[in-house]
Each structure stands twice: as structure tokens, then as C-alpha cells.
């Protein structure tokens, strides 16, 4: 199963992407997931740059939620 726990296992949760996503969805009337898909790659780069220990969690998410091999 896919959940936010793959990102935040053992670390404090950060819902920053949702704070960024909400105005985008409202202004451009996008679907919630589409707006998150636009924001998430840049957010991931910032998180990895500042919190290198998050890389295994992103890998786990990629395998379990995105079907990466």
C-alpha cells in the first residue's frame, strides 16, 4: 500500500507541498493530484539537497508507490 509513511518514516511530517498546491488548484482549477505532480519534483530536489538522509525514503516510495524497479 502507498501512503505518506514512505516519505516520513522516522522523521517529522512536512505537508509543505499541500500548502503550495492548494492555491494552484484553486487559481487554475486543476485536480489536486495534477497540481501535486507539478510541484513534487522540485520539492523532492529541495528536500534531498537539505536532508540527504531522506534518499532511502524517496527510493522506497519510488518502488512501492510508483512501480520503480
Amino acid at each position: 500500500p502507498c501512503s505518506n509513511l514512505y516519505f516520513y518514516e522516522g522523521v517529522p511530517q512536512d505537508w509543505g507541498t499541500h500548502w503550495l498546491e492548494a492555491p494552484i488548484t484553486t487559481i487554475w482549477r486543476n485536480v489536486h493530484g495534477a497540481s501535486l505532480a507539478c510541484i513534487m519534483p522540485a520539492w523532492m530536489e529541495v528536500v534531498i539537497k537539505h536532508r540527504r538522509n531522506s534518499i532511502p525514503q524517496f527510493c522506497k516510495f519510488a518502488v512501492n508507490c510508483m512501480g520503480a524497479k
Side-chain angles (χ1 to χ4, degrees), residues 49-63:
K49 180 179 177 183
H50 295 284
R51 197 169 62 203
R52 302 292 293 173
N53 65 338
S54 66
I55 293 172
Q57 291 154 326
F58 280 112
C59 292
K60 189 175 179 181
F61 172 79
V63 169

Side-chain angles (χ1 to χ4, degrees), residues 5-57:
L5 295 177
Y6 290 116
F7 281 129
Y8 301 111
E9 191 174 287
V11 297
Q13 291 194 12
D14 176 0
W15 288 82
T17 53
H18 284 76
W19 288 104
L20 295 169
E21 172 274 330
I24 292 170
T25 296
T26 302
I27 293 168
W28 284 285
R29 297 183 182 171
N30 292 339
V31 176
H32 173 72
S35 296
L36 284 175
C38 292
I39 293 168
M40 204 160 170
W43 171 80
M44 291 168 113
E45 286 183 19
V46 170
V47 170
I48 288 171
K49 180 179 177 183
H50 295 284
R51 197 169 62 203
R52 302 292 293 173
N53 65 338
S54 66
I55 293 172
Q57 291 154 326

